[in-house]
Amino acid sequence: MLKVENLSVTYSGDGQKTHAVREVSFSLEQGQSMGIIGESGSGKTTLGLAIMGILSSTAKVTGTIEYNKINLRELSARQLDMYRWKHIAMVFQNGLDILNPLMTVNEQIKECIIRHLKIKNHDADSRVKELLEQVGLDASVADNLPHQLSGGMRQRVLIAMALACDPKVLIVDEPTSSLDAISKAEIIELLSRLQHQKRFAMIVISHDFSVITRLASKMCVMYRGCILEEGLTRDILENPLHPYTRGLINSSPSLNPYQDLWGIPRAGEATTDEGCSFFPRCSQRSQICKNQKPKLKYASLERKVACNQGGIITLLEAWGINKTYSFKGNKICACKDCHMSIRAGEIIALIGQSGSGKTTLASILSGYLEPESGNIEFLGQTIKQHEFTSKPKGIQMVFQDPFSSINDQFTVMQAVKEPLDILKLYNTDERIARVKQALIDVELASDDTFLNRRCFTLSGGQRQRVAIARSLVLEPRLLIADEISSMLDPSTQANILRLLKGLQNTLGFAMIYITHDLDIARKIADKLYIMHKGEIVETGPAWKVFDNPESEYTRKLMSKAGLA
Amino acid sequence: MRYQKALKYLVTFFCIITLNFFLPRIMPGDPFYFLSSEQGEVTVTYSQEEIDRFKAYYGLDKPVLAQYGSYLKGIIKGDLGYSIYFGSDVRTIIKNRIPWSVSLVLLSVIIGGGAGTLLGCLSAWQRGKGSDKVLYGIMVVISEIPAFLIGIFFLFYLAARQGIFPLSGGAKPFADYASWADAVLDIVYHGFLPTLTLSAVQMGGFYLIARNSMITVMSKDYIITAKAKGLSTGRILFRHALSNAALPIVTQAFYSLGQAVGGTLLVENVFKYPGLGSLMRQAVMVRDYPLIQGIFLTVTFFVVIMNAVVDILYKKLDPRIT
């Protein structure tokens, strides 16, 4: 019904050009609803205004907007007026000035009815009352002036006004911003009810996932005017393919009731016009991203993603892992047909009781331990022994006990620099610089006194930081952290966890966090793997597993931990 | 709130009256000196005895404060005094002149204001385009030229050179009209140039204010809403935009009503129009204090009352002001 193709909007002013919307294409059928999500300034609202054809004259628009096979962009202003509001209407973002302050609600709703439906004044009056009641307002509101309405009432009036001529397409811009929780829920409820009743196609523009998930079955993720990901809302939430989408999900308080919120890091360098628009903020960028703009391509049946690397890359993939220990004739099955898949920048919590085989699995994944059978691939290459732990941008492990994992007699400098020395990477000066940077990253001192301190003089928390710094000097893509905080006091534990998560957010490495502590897992994990007696019994996005555990064992675990 | 406003105006009036009383007394010169001099055709001379008698008659021999007291008392009673030069009641003289001036001012504000506002709206709608730029340039020039200069230009060109309009006066002297329609026509004929002059000046001011105000309003969200609703240009421009831009325009209208009175004083002299302006000139020439004071008072009252009307209208126009 509505088909937008290659729509671009460029604002020019003061000799500068701003590409607000770039080559956006999508289509919408009757009764369908589509969400557009993105940070502020991503071009969402401009896109909505462009479809309405009401951008200011400083905006240059190219591309086509087809409504029922008619290209709206080719119509004259007068012809377009006949489509506006009657066929395509918009619920504008709620603001004090969005309604004319000197005209009553009645007049403002009525004027569109009279203009487009050619109804007599008196009949229009009763239609206005009908509309107001439909959106849950008293008919007497008709005589009010905008300044006499509350924010929630104004939002309802805006909806009533948009529906005045029974449009076939409704564009809704930030319908709940600046509303309190109750009004917000009511407005969402109202919009969803009206859409079911009237079967209009709806475009919901919002930066709030809770709005999009409730109102839109499919969604587009916009960044700097480009659509970076498109697909079914539920699929995207469970499995975001673009790093930006994941960043948005991680910043959403409604989707992360337990986890700390981490915004997407700010851009360090400027975007180039020819490269990927997300390049400066992307944690998995490569050289190609700087020079080549990715196209929105199908990644699966109903999913498109615009990324030169096909979306978030899968770092490690393991399947069919088996490992049995023999001890005095007893066979202990530590891993039974285990599998795992980790994508870049992800935190997986591997949860299980002690003895469930977590550490064995982690050791196998990193290549320290040979499995009896099974395959492990790191970036598509099969892992053979220490190959990836002994080179930069590979896999690193941090262990539970910082007192035994680092030689007591080493100075801090030696402890952190050792991997570089062994692997003979970089020259001496550069090694020292990297050591210092790693120490700064883990929030330790980097002066000579500290560098020359022996490790046995450090506290547990400091030593764990040193251990983390030691793994960070090799810039790992995957960090396996085995119960790293279990020996620390709560405050040090909190500091180390926040530190790791922060580093993970800016440096973008993936992490397998092995723990038996569900509270901590809930605080930091994106995905959960639950292990029981050598088997992976449940996997899924953390919020899903915590809210609705599927396996018997997980439920038991949750209830024992007092979480469910 | 309302009482406070009323009190404010009362104080304003009191200050005006006081200033009005003291100002001429600070001015150099003396009405009797002029009456006794060779100013114009007045050649009457007064003896010291006569001057003393006149001074006693007008109360000028009393202490200033006493004079001030009786002046206040007179004003409250509506008595503006007795003109020394014309030898008749100041109130009557002014009353006879007021219709000429007021009709000039009202007409010019209505005509000039209407045209200026309309052009301002169109200019704002066409903002940045050629027609807007040309109009803007012309209007800036017009609004900056003093009214009497425009008047002199019209007088020289349309009246003296082309002879289309009369050179001076408010009506044909000693005319005997056949019907009242003839009388009206003659008055309109005489009043045309002064009105045109004042209108032109008013138009410039109104245009600038209307254009400015409209441009501000045109960028408001509700105008985007109105455009999205597919409304006609006329409705967007005049119902949605102008009603919101009206506040400064209406303020300007009443403000300029006050100002135009000042302008008309000069323009009337250019056209020898029989309004307050010509009267004032005469009165100043001969130091006719009671008359000057009367005219001052009338004009300032007019301005203050217009301001009060703006205050009241503001509330009516913008329901948000409480």
Side-chain angles (χ1 to χ4, degrees), chain A residues 97-245:
Chain A
D97 265 349
I98 201 68
L99 291 169
N100 192 319
L102 300 182
M103 288 164 72
T104 60
V105 169
N106 180 52
E107 190 179 357
Q108 301 197 46
I109 299 180
K110 199 165 71 178
E111 63 182 356
C112 2
I113 302 174
I114 292 175
R115 167 88 170 163
H116 294 291
L117 303 182
K118 317 277 183 255
I119 289 180
K120 280 203 203 82
N121 201 9
H122 177 74
D123 296 338
D125 278 333
S126 54
R127 170 106 179 104
V128 170
K129 294 211 164 70
E130 215 173 277
L131 282 162
L132 288 174
E133 276 159 11
Q134 223 167 48
V135 297
L137 286 172
D138 198 88
S140 64
V141 170
D143 300 322
N144 283 11
L145 285 162
H147 74 276
Q148 293 165 325
L149 306 174
S150 70
M153 287 164 87
R154 196 166 52 228
Q155 187 67 53
R156 285 169 197 269
V157 168
L158 286 170
I159 294 171
M161 192 166 79
L163 294 177
C165 308
D166 268 325
K168 302 288 173 287
V169 179
L170 188 69
I171 303 168
V172 184
D173 191 1
E174 299 283 7
T176 61
S177 65
S178 76
L179 293 186
D180 62 273
I182 293 171
S183 320
K184 180 173 165 179
E186 284 172 355
I187 293 289
I188 291 176
E189 180 59 38
L190 173 70
L191 279 169
S192 126
R193 198 187 72 220
L194 287 169
Q195 203 223 351
H196 279 111
Q197 269 171 18
K198 301 183 180 258
R199 306 280 303 146
F200 47 78
M202 184 158 73
I203 298 175
V204 184
I205 296 167
S206 181
H207 57 245
D208 188 344
F209 270 107
S210 63
V211 176
I212 304 256
T213 46
R214 285 292 314 278
L215 290 176
S217 52
K218 62 174 194 170
M219 66 185 275
C220 293
V221 180
M222 257 185 116
Y223 181 71
R224 295 180 69 106
C226 302
I227 292 184
L228 294 185
E229 186 164 359
E230 187 189 324
L232 298 177
T233 309
R234 204 185 322 152
D235 289 357
I236 289 187
L237 289 183
E238 276 189 24
N239 185 27
L241 282 185
H242 200 283
Y244 178 64
T245 315

Side-chain angles (χ1 to χ4, degrees), chain A residues 49 52 54 81-82 84-85 92 97-103 107-109 111-112 115-116 145 147 161, chain B residues 220-233 235 239-241 243-245 317-320:
Chain A
L49 296 178
M52 295 296 298
I54 43 171
D81 274 347
M82 292 296 106
R84 286 180 183 143
W85 225 254
F92 286 96
D97 265 349
I98 201 68
L99 291 169
N100 192 319
L102 300 182
M103 288 164 72
E107 190 179 357
Q108 301 197 46
I109 299 180
E111 63 182 356
C112 2
R115 167 88 170 163
H116 294 291
L145 285 162
H147 74 276
M161 192 166 79
Chain B
K220 295 275 191 195
D221 288 341
Y222 49 78
I223 298 298
I224 297 179
T225 312
K227 282 184 190 163
K229 289 198 304 203
L231 302 176
S232 64
T233 307
R235 184 153 180 100
R239 181 67 188 97
H240 280 268
S243 60
N244 280 285
L317 279 172
D318 192 341
R320 285 166 300 181

Side-chain angles (χ1 to χ4, degrees), chain A residues 367-522:
Chain A
Y368 286 122
L369 203 65
E370 191 97 20
E372 272 143 36
S373 63
N375 276 306
I376 311 158
E377 285 181 359
F378 185 75
L379 292 171
Q381 286 175 278
T382 307
I383 292 185
K384 291 182 215 110
Q385 296 186 330
H386 301 308
E387 192 187 347
F388 288 102
T389 39
S390 59
K391 69 179 193 186
K393 299 194 193 286
I395 306 172
Q396 289 300 317
M397 275 189 91
V398 181
F399 298 97
Q400 181 174 13
D401 183 359
F403 295 96
S404 49
S405 65
I406 290 174
N407 190 331
D408 267 354
Q409 295 304 318
F410 273 1
T411 61
V412 171
M413 172 62 106
Q414 280 172 317
V416 179
K417 197 160 66 112
E418 192 188 31
L420 299 175
D421 292 337
I422 295 172
L423 298 173
K424 299 195 173 55
L425 294 165
Y426 321 114
N427 60 35
T428 319
D429 287 346
E430 215 171 321
R431 281 181 202 171
I432 293 171
R434 278 172 190 268
V435 167
K436 285 186 174 171
Q437 184 55 47
L439 287 172
I440 291 167
D441 282 346
V442 298
E443 292 168 3
L444 285 175
S446 60
D447 55 284
D448 288 342
T449 351
F450 187 76
L451 286 170
N452 291 323
R453 269 174 77 174
R454 304 259 167 202
C455 285
F456 68 84
T457 65
L458 301 176
S459 72
Q462 280 174 319
R463 281 176 81 155
Q464 197 58 290
R465 282 169 200 251
V466 170
I468 294 169
R470 178 183 156 98
S471 58
L472 288 181
V473 285
L474 285 173
E475 302 173 70
R477 282 218 164 99
L478 174 63
L479 192 70
I480 301 178
D482 189 358
E483 299 273 13
I484 54 165
S485 62
S486 60
M487 292 180 73
L488 307 173
D489 65 273
S491 162
T492 315
Q493 167 177 297
N495 286 336
I496 294 264
L497 285 179
R498 276 193 65 80
L499 173 79
L500 261 182
K501 180 66 209 183
L503 284 172
Q504 195 261 347
N505 195 51
T506 43
L507 304 177
F509 54 82
M511 189 153 79
I512 300 177
Y513 191 86
I514 300 166
T515 185
H516 54 78
D517 190 334
L518 282 169
D519 290 307
I520 287 195
R522 186 164 70 168

Side-chain angles (χ1 to χ4, degrees), chain B residues 162-173:
Chain B
Q162 306 283 330
I164 310 174
F165 291 101
L167 276 168
S168 68
K172 219 182 277 172

Side-chain angles (χ1 to χ4, degrees), chain B residues 73-137:
Chain B
K73 227 190 272 167
I75 286 200
I76 289 164
K77 276 192 254 162
D79 176 19
L80 293 177
Y82 202 76
S83 165
I84 300 166
Y85 176 72
F86 288 96
S88 74
D89 193 19
V90 168
R91 213 168 62 167
T92 329
I93 302 172
I94 290 177
K95 219 160 73 182
N96 288 337
R97 298 293 192 106
I98 276 182
W100 295 100
S101 287
V102 166
S103 54
L104 211 58
V105 166
L106 275 180
L107 264 178
S108 66
V109 168
I110 290 168
I111 295 170
T117 305
L118 197 73
L119 290 175
C121 287
L122 294 177
S123 219
W125 182 254
Q126 301 282 324
R127 189 189 178 191
K129 296 190 181 141
S131 55
D132 169 46
K133 282 178 185 161
V134 171
L135 257 179
Y136 185 73

